[in-house]
Amino acid sequence: MTDAPRLIDPYARAITYLRVSVTDRCDFRCRYCMSENMTFLPKKELLSLEELDRLCSAFVSQGVEKLRITGGEPLVRRGIMGFFNAMSRHLESGALRELTLTTNGSQLSKYAADLYAAGMRRVNISLDTLDEAKFAHITRWGRLAQVLEGIDAAQNAGLRVKINVVAVKDTNEDELEKIVNWCAERDMDLTFIEVMPMGDMGDLDRTDQYWALEDLRDRLAESFTLTDLPDNTGGPARYVRLEETGQKVGFITPLSHNFCESCNRVRLTCTGQLYQCLGQEDEADLRKVLRDNPDDDTPLIAAIHSAIARKPKGHDFDYSRQETSGAMARHMSHTGG
Ligand code: SAM
Ligand code: SF4
């Protein structure tokens, strides 16, 4: 045991993992994530890069060992490499064990080598299809070739890549095997994600996009031999090994399974709101505490502890009655996926 500061919630879970959204903006408009004409936040609402540094450093000082940077698209934020370079000091000191990123891959050709140099070793890249036309349809503004180049750049730079695939009914159902084999050939891990009811998607009915991962798993079992692996990530993913390829494949099923008992994470929005749970509305306004106390981190650290002391036991998503009860009004791009 050490007596270093730790963040322990009311259910005795140690909070060691912080996901941080650094921008709500994005160069794509994925259909399950954003509407085409999104209104983004005014710049003054966003945490500055210096404020992000202060906040993340405060969490690290209180026992957070893993930082995942997300968005929006984190790599479209101007000056973001400066933030990654600054965070590398926590890796060097040993306080932070991992600095990582979830990205759509569009800017990786430009940044992969710099990210590796800043101490990053793994990235999650979101890619739902290997078909150019479908990719253009899903992302509205994205180009598949650019993302594939980004993936090459990441691997060439020495970054370990995990591909995140959102399972969307009638869209990538027929590509399962192709995606699995493509990831195996390139030695990339793979995780499937169920569509979650986040944000107001206008005319889109979310239950139309919903493809239960249980069904996806059954489909996978028709082509591969699946062996369950023990889960020790504290997250919502369940893992299997595909015996034919040796690959580890994850399933994130936040809606159909309860993963909350082992939750070790909290989320910080790009405006400095701390959400203790992805599926609940309670939050703490850390930006106010930060801006009210520019030269003293003591109130900030107290606010972080008081927010963790209110972390709820779990979430209330429920698709079981074919309606999105427990759906959240806020967007994934704001909270960070
Ligand atoms: N722009 C980056 C990206 O796409 O990886 C990071 C942010 S994005 C919000 C993070 C993850 O959330 C992506 O893997 C994306 O596919 C996923 N996502 C977005 N909206 C979702 C939804 N409604 N349900 C499930 N996953 C979603
Ligand atoms: Fe952008 Fe990622 Fe949302 Fe797609 S999922 S619109 S890439 S933030």
Side-chain angles (χ1 to χ4, degrees), residues 26 28-30 32-34 71-73 104 333:
C26 188
F28 292 1
R29 290 290 181 278
C30 303
Y32 46 70
C33 181
M34 293 188 184
E73 175 46 43
N104 65 23
S333 50

PDB file of all heavy atoms in Angstrom, residues 26 28-30 32-34 71-73 104 333, ligand 2:
ATOM      1  N   CYS A  26     -15.304  18.535 -35.204  1.00  0.00           N
ATOM      2  CA  CYS A  26     -14.841  17.354 -35.915  1.00  0.00           C
ATOM      3  C   CYS A  26     -14.839  17.639 -37.413  1.00  0.00           C
ATOM      4  O   CYS A  26     -15.618  18.457 -37.892  1.00  0.00           O
ATOM      5  CB  CYS A  26     -15.761  16.174 -35.621  1.00  0.00           C
ATOM      6  SG  CYS A  26     -15.103  14.632 -36.275  1.00  0.00           S
ATOM      7  N   PHE A  28     -15.484  15.168 -39.464  1.00  0.00           N
ATOM      8  CA  PHE A  28     -16.497  14.242 -39.980  1.00  0.00           C
ATOM      9  C   PHE A  28     -17.856  14.607 -39.370  1.00  0.00           C
ATOM     10  O   PHE A  28     -17.926  15.378 -38.412  1.00  0.00           O
ATOM     11  CB  PHE A  28     -16.183  12.790 -39.588  1.00  0.00           C
ATOM     12  CG  PHE A  28     -14.956  12.188 -40.234  1.00  0.00           C
ATOM     13  CD1 PHE A  28     -14.154  12.907 -41.107  1.00  0.00           C
ATOM     14  CD2 PHE A  28     -14.613  10.865 -39.964  1.00  0.00           C
ATOM     15  CE1 PHE A  28     -13.022  12.336 -41.687  1.00  0.00           C
ATOM     16  CE2 PHE A  28     -13.489  10.284 -40.531  1.00  0.00           C
ATOM     17  CZ  PHE A  28     -12.695  11.013 -41.390  1.00  0.00           C
ATOM     18  N   ARG A  29     -18.902  13.997 -39.912  1.00  0.00           N
ATOM     19  CA  ARG A  29     -20.248  14.179 -39.354  1.00  0.00           C
ATOM     20  C   ARG A  29     -20.934  12.809 -39.300  1.00  0.00           C
ATOM     21  O   ARG A  29     -21.958  12.598 -39.956  1.00  0.00           O
ATOM     22  CB  ARG A  29     -21.081  15.129 -40.251  1.00  0.00           C
ATOM     23  CG  ARG A  29     -20.652  16.577 -40.239  1.00  0.00           C
ATOM     24  CD  ARG A  29     -20.949  17.255 -38.904  1.00  0.00           C
ATOM     25  NE  ARG A  29     -20.560  18.656 -38.922  1.00  0.00           N
ATOM     26  CZ  ARG A  29     -19.317  19.099 -38.719  1.00  0.00           C
ATOM     27  NH1 ARG A  29     -18.339  18.251 -38.489  1.00  0.00           N
ATOM     28  NH2 ARG A  29     -19.061  20.385 -38.746  1.00  0.00           N
ATOM     29  N   CYS A  30     -20.350  11.878 -38.549  1.00  0.00           N
ATOM     30  CA  CYS A  30     -20.908  10.520 -38.522  1.00  0.00           C
ATOM     31  C   CYS A  30     -22.384  10.557 -38.113  1.00  0.00           C
ATOM     32  O   CYS A  30     -22.755  11.275 -37.183  1.00  0.00           O
ATOM     33  CB  CYS A  30     -20.120   9.648 -37.562  1.00  0.00           C
ATOM     34  SG  CYS A  30     -18.373   9.584 -37.992  1.00  0.00           S
ATOM     35  N   TYR A  32     -24.421   8.591 -36.578  1.00  0.00           N
ATOM     36  CA  TYR A  32     -24.879   8.217 -35.237  1.00  0.00           C
ATOM     37  C   TYR A  32     -24.346   9.164 -34.171  1.00  0.00           C
ATOM     38  O   TYR A  32     -24.652   9.038 -32.999  1.00  0.00           O
ATOM     39  CB  TYR A  32     -24.451   6.769 -34.911  1.00  0.00           C
ATOM     40  CG  TYR A  32     -23.011   6.472 -35.263  1.00  0.00           C
ATOM     41  CD1 TYR A  32     -21.980   7.038 -34.546  1.00  0.00           C
ATOM     42  CD2 TYR A  32     -22.706   5.657 -36.343  1.00  0.00           C
ATOM     43  CE1 TYR A  32     -20.658   6.793 -34.885  1.00  0.00           C
ATOM     44  CE2 TYR A  32     -21.385   5.400 -36.690  1.00  0.00           C
ATOM     45  CZ  TYR A  32     -20.365   5.974 -35.954  1.00  0.00           C
ATOM     46  OH  TYR A  32     -19.067   5.739 -36.287  1.00  0.00           O
ATOM     47  N   CYS A  33     -23.525  10.122 -34.567  1.00  0.00           N
ATOM     48  CA  CYS A  33     -22.858  10.991 -33.592  1.00  0.00           C
ATOM     49  C   CYS A  33     -23.296  12.445 -33.680  1.00  0.00           C
ATOM     50  O   CYS A  33     -23.531  13.098 -32.671  1.00  0.00           O
ATOM     51  CB  CYS A  33     -21.349  10.888 -33.795  1.00  0.00           C
ATOM     52  SG  CYS A  33     -20.365  11.882 -32.670  1.00  0.00           S
ATOM     53  N   MET A  34     -23.401  12.964 -34.900  1.00  0.00           N
ATOM     54  CA  MET A  34     -23.697  14.394 -35.078  1.00  0.00           C
ATOM     55  C   MET A  34     -24.718  14.579 -36.179  1.00  0.00           C
ATOM     56  O   MET A  34     -24.798  13.763 -37.090  1.00  0.00           O
ATOM     57  CB  MET A  34     -22.442  15.145 -35.546  1.00  0.00           C
ATOM     58  CG  MET A  34     -21.343  15.211 -34.556  1.00  0.00           C
ATOM     59  SD  MET A  34     -20.059  16.307 -35.188  1.00  0.00           S
ATOM     60  CE  MET A  34     -18.835  16.097 -33.895  1.00  0.00           C
ATOM     61  N   GLY A  71     -12.862  13.375 -28.270  1.00  0.00           N
ATOM     62  CA  GLY A  71     -13.563  14.594 -28.683  1.00  0.00           C
ATOM     63  C   GLY A  71     -14.992  14.236 -29.055  1.00  0.00           C
ATOM     64  O   GLY A  71     -15.529  13.258 -28.538  1.00  0.00           O
ATOM     65  N   GLY A  72     -15.447  14.922 -30.005  1.00  0.00           N
ATOM     66  CA  GLY A  72     -14.976  15.533 -31.217  1.00  0.00           C
ATOM     67  C   GLY A  72     -13.729  14.834 -31.744  1.00  0.00           C
ATOM     68  O   GLY A  72     -13.405  13.740 -31.346  1.00  0.00           O
ATOM     69  N   GLU A  73     -13.105  15.450 -32.689  1.00  0.00           N
ATOM     70  CA  GLU A  73     -11.857  14.874 -33.185  1.00  0.00           C
ATOM     71  C   GLU A  73     -10.688  15.603 -32.523  1.00  0.00           C
ATOM     72  O   GLU A  73     -10.409  16.762 -32.844  1.00  0.00           O
ATOM     73  CB  GLU A  73     -11.801  14.972 -34.719  1.00  0.00           C
ATOM     74  CG  GLU A  73     -10.500  14.501 -35.320  1.00  0.00           C
ATOM     75  CD  GLU A  73      -9.990  13.169 -34.751  1.00  0.00           C
ATOM     76  OE1 GLU A  73     -10.778  12.226 -34.556  1.00  0.00           O
ATOM     77  OE2 GLU A  73      -8.778  13.085 -34.461  1.00  0.00           O
ATOM     78  N   ASN A 104     -10.554   9.613 -35.276  1.00  0.00           N
ATOM     79  CA  ASN A 104     -11.116   9.087 -36.520  1.00  0.00           C
ATOM     80  C   ASN A 104     -10.008   8.808 -37.541  1.00  0.00           C
ATOM     81  O   ASN A 104     -10.285   8.334 -38.635  1.00  0.00           O
ATOM     82  CB  ASN A 104     -12.180  10.028 -37.096  1.00  0.00           C
ATOM     83  CG  ASN A 104     -11.622  11.376 -37.526  1.00  0.00           C
ATOM     84  OD1 ASN A 104     -10.432  11.522 -37.808  1.00  0.00           O
ATOM     85  ND2 ASN A 104     -12.483  12.368 -37.582  1.00  0.00           N
ATOM     86  N   SER A 333     -19.844  13.735 -28.879  1.00  0.00           N
ATOM     87  CA  SER A 333     -18.692  14.556 -29.246  1.00  0.00           C
ATOM     88  C   SER A 333     -18.374  15.588 -28.173  1.00  0.00           C
ATOM     89  O   SER A 333     -17.279  16.124 -28.113  1.00  0.00           O
ATOM     90  CB  SER A 333     -18.959  15.259 -30.580  1.00  0.00           C
ATOM     91  OG  SER A 333     -20.210  15.892 -30.538  1.00  0.00           O
TER      92      SER A 333
HETATM   93 FE1  SF4 B   2     -16.459  12.990 -35.432  1.00  0.00          FE
HETATM   94 FE2  SF4 B   2     -15.828  10.825 -34.034  1.00  0.00          FE
HETATM   95 FE3  SF4 B   2     -18.325  11.835 -33.940  1.00  0.00          FE
HETATM   96 FE4  SF4 B   2     -17.492  10.698 -36.166  1.00  0.00          FE
HETATM   97  S1  SF4 B   2     -17.742   9.696 -34.171  1.00  0.00           S
HETATM   98  S2  SF4 B   2     -18.552  12.694 -36.000  1.00  0.00           S
HETATM   99  S3  SF4 B   2     -15.385  11.203 -36.181  1.00  0.00           S
HETATM  100  S4  SF4 B   2     -16.508  12.800 -33.199  1.00  0.00           S
END
